[in-house]
Amino acid sequence: MDILGTVDPTNVHYIMSSNFQNFRKGTEFKKIFDVLGDGIFNADFDLWNNQRKIARSLITHHEFHKFLVKTSWDKVKSGLVPVLEFMAKEGKIFDLQDVFQRFTFDTTCILVTGFDPGSLSVELNNIAFLKAMNDAGEVMLIRNLLPQCVWKLQQWLGIGPERKLRDAREVIDQVIGKYISVKREELRARGEKLKKEEEHEGVDLLTSYIDNDDGETKTGLKFDDKFLRDTILNFMIAGRDTTSSGLTWFVWLVVTHPDIEKKIREELKAIIPVGEGEKHRLFKADELKNAIYLHAALCESLRLYPPVPFQLKTPQEPDILPSGHHVNPKMRVFIILYAMGRMESIWGKDASEFKPERWISNKGTVKHEPSYKFFSFNAGPRTCLGKEVSFTQMKAVTAAVIHNYHAEMVKGHEVYPNVSVILYMKHGFKVRIKRRWEN
């Protein structure tokens, strides 16, 4: 395989923005990630542009924002907190990464489909849909590392990782298909009461897509079951995996840097109204809007541990990058985000340090860094549509964890990244957790 890896911000800007038209996902990408169908991750040209237009309109709509805020709050209160309370009471060692994966799996599924798979509970039971999503992600990485002829042969023979992907896909298609059929039936049967509830609490994306009567007219997209299946799966992967990865690395960085943990706690304490005192408390989205240091710390964590550690592009025509390197349609161009976040040439001599202050301006506001430098949310026309969704969820979770609990990593537990399309901890994040308040 002919591969060019780059960490040069000028190349990133060229590939993602100024010459975006020549650097598409390409047919190879779609073959590797065929389980995603024709969803927005695989799409190019007009198909991608039309999907992005309607996705942006729905994700930025005030009704979805209301639903996001309510869903995040409810799942923290009724899902995450009971698990943490149980683990604290029992003094158990548990995998906090697994808990975060379950939290984001449930919230993303609710936000996208309106249905809660219920994977986050005190029992931490195995959920077939969750396992299938994990298996699919694992095999998609393996495909990136093997020549196509090898994994195509495994696929044809029905052996090895390809058999695992086939089984996972059956579960994914079955569950998503059921969500779509049930949702269509609900919407056909709904009355004025349900409509009023939706207006008050907001709506999930699947409801919005099905209800979007003029969507097909405006975009040319056919909103049939296959389109909805591909859209749901793409949103599920985008929202669930990236946010849980971000949460895991952030909490690990904070608990291993007590001085930064203290600053975040002081900022959260300043948000609490006078009279509420030092006690167990959850924070609403509006309260966290001005938590500048928390936001800066999240950006800093994403710089060092980007949930998607590399990007893959294929030039449509022969080209020369700003660095002088020649590329052609038979090559893959890898942009290596994980390395970029650690380069002194990009971030200065303290690039390897966890330093939230680098994100705070002299005026006390969050600094803006160009996306081709801080690449965690992509850049150019493909900039992540769910950036604000991710920050809303991460702030709700991290504020609840840091204010109410003290997490301590198990001694001797090794923490380092796995090799995957999503940057997880290879052996999980094994911790004990204690309550900070008795009331």
Side-chain angles (χ1 to χ4, degrees):
M1 295 185 288
D2 198 357
I3 296 172
L4 173 72
T6 183
V7 291
D8 187 338
T10 59
N11 285 345
V12 174
H13 181 65
Y14 183 77
I15 292 168
M16 302 304 300
S17 299
S18 60
N19 200 25
F20 168 75
Q21 294 297 325
N22 192 37
F23 290 89
R24 305 290 181 145
K25 292 295 182 74
T27 55
E28 287 297 312
F29 186 96
K30 190 170 183 178
K31 288 176 183 176
I32 291 171
F33 294 92
D34 60 0
V35 69
L36 302 180
D38 295 319
I40 196 168
F41 279 165
N42 277 347
D44 273 325
F45 305 105
D46 290 342
L47 178 60
W48 165 78
N49 194 37
N50 290 332
Q51 288 194 52
R52 186 175 174 86
K53 282 180 182 177
I54 192 164
R56 182 195 293 116
S57 69
L58 297 181
I59 289 173
T60 58
H61 197 280
H62 69 276
E63 286 195 353
F64 179 72
H65 181 73
K66 282 192 294 186
F67 193 57
L68 163 66
V69 170
K70 180 182 183 300
T71 298
S72 300
W73 168 270
D74 288 348
K75 184 54 72 169
V76 169
K77 183 180 179 181
S78 61
L80 181 62
V81 168
V83 171
L84 297 181
E85 288 289 305
F86 174 77
M87 296 301 179
K89 182 180 178 181
E90 299 294 322
K92 287 191 173 185
I93 294 173
F94 68 104
D95 184 357
L96 190 56
Q97 177 171 257
D98 177 54
V99 170
F100 285 154
Q101 286 176 339
R102 291 168 181 270
F103 173 87
T104 57
F105 180 70
D106 285 357
T107 54
T108 303
C109 198
I110 296 168
L111 291 171
V112 175
T113 70
F115 300 104
D116 185 352
S119 71
L120 182 61
S121 65
V122 171
E123 295 80 15
L124 298 179
N125 293 324
N126 292 325
I127 303 293
F129 189 25
L130 177 61
K131 181 180 184 301
M133 294 284 286
N134 290 337
D135 288 347
E138 178 186 323
V139 179
M140 285 187 283
L141 168 71
I142 293 172
R143 284 184 173 185
N144 269 286
L145 303 176
L146 291 176
Q148 185 180 143
C149 60
V150 174
W151 63 260
K152 280 283 188 181
L153 178 61
Q154 292 178 343
Q155 185 182 58
W156 183 67
L157 295 173
I159 62 173
E162 290 299 319
R163 178 168 183 172
K164 180 186 286 189
L165 180 59
R166 183 194 67 190
D167 295 343
R169 186 167 188 163
E170 287 180 2
V171 174
I172 290 169
D173 289 349
Q174 180 183 13
V175 174
I176 294 179
K178 182 179 179 182
Y179 286 159
I180 293 169
S181 63
V182 171
K183 179 65 68 174
R184 286 193 186 280
E185 186 60 35
E186 281 184 358
L187 295 180
R188 276 194 292 266
R190 77 177 177 183
E192 290 301 315
K193 181 181 178 182
L194 183 56
K195 286 185 179 180
K196 288 180 180 179
E197 288 178 0
E198 289 174 355
E199 289 174 2
H200 176 68
E201 299 181 351
V203 294
D204 59 86
L205 291 175
L206 180 56
T207 295
S208 296
Y209 271 101
I210 295 175
D211 270 354
N212 199 348
D213 297 331
D214 60 350
E216 185 172 343
T217 303
K218 288 182 178 179
T219 64
L221 298 170
K222 188 176 181 181
F223 288 15
D224 56 15
D225 285 0
K226 182 187 183 306
F227 171 82
L228 294 175
R229 177 265 182 205
D230 294 347
T231 299
I232 288 170
L233 182 55
N234 278 249
F235 280 145
M236 285 289 297
I237 289 176
R240 169 244 173 177
D241 291 329
T242 54
T243 303
S244 59
S245 168
L247 285 169
T248 302
W249 289 108
F250 175 80
V251 173
W252 172 69
L253 283 167
V254 169
V255 300
T256 53
H257 293 78
D259 55 326
I260 293 174
E261 183 178 47
K262 182 180 178 182
K263 290 178 182 179
I264 294 173
R265 284 177 175 161
E266 288 173 350
E267 182 177 61
L268 293 173
K269 185 177 178 181
I271 291 172
I272 301 173
V274 177
E276 290 196 14
E278 296 184 340
K279 62 181 181 180
H280 182 94
R281 189 184 194 280
L282 302 181
F283 295 82
K284 295 187 179 295
D286 287 344
E287 293 177 314
L288 296 173
K289 282 182 179 178
N290 295 319
I292 302 299
Y293 195 81
L294 175 60
H295 190 100
L298 285 166
C299 289
E300 181 71 343
S301 175
L302 292 168
R303 175 184 73 87
L304 289 168
Y305 295 95
V308 181
F310 66 88
Q311 282 269 10
L312 171 64
K313 293 292 181 182
T314 303
Q316 303 300 299
E317 301 291 339
D319 207 342
I320 303 175
L321 301 180
S323 60
H325 292 88
H326 292 251
V327 294
N328 63 69
K330 294 183 179 181
M331 296 176 68
R332 294 184 191 180
V333 180
F334 275 86
I335 302 171
I336 309 165
L337 285 70
Y338 185 86
M340 287 180 68
R342 289 165 164 71
M343 297 194 69
E344 292 184 5
S345 60
I346 299 175
W347 295 98
K349 292 188 178 297
D350 58 357
S352 62
E353 296 179 27
F354 179 51
K355 188 178 177 182
E357 287 77 10
R358 80 174 75 243
W359 291 90
I360 301 176
S361 70
N362 293 332
K363 296 180 180 179
T365 58
V366 176
K367 280 184 183 176
H368 169 75
E369 292 287 0
S371 55
Y372 54 83
K373 177 182 175 183
F374 178 53
F375 197 38
S376 294
F377 292 97
N378 222 317
R382 281 192 181 266
T383 297
C384 178
L385 291 171
K387 181 177 179 179
E388 293 308 314
V389 175
S390 180
F391 271 119
T392 298
Q393 286 199 308
M394 287 195 293
K395 287 178 182 178
V397 172
T398 55
V401 172
I402 293 172
H403 176 71
N404 296 305
Y405 303 96
H406 174 70
E408 182 179 308
M409 188 168 66
V410 175
K411 289 183 179 179
H413 179 62
E414 293 185 320
V415 171
Y416 52 88
N418 62 349
V419 179
S420 177
V421 291
I422 300 294
L423 196 72
Y424 281 125
M425 291 184 180
K426 185 173 180 65
H427 301 297
F429 183 24
K430 299 297 178 63
V431 301
R432 284 190 179 91
I433 201 162
K434 296 179 181 178
R435 300 180 86 232
R436 294 188 66 222
W437 320 113
E438 291 304 319
N439 54 346

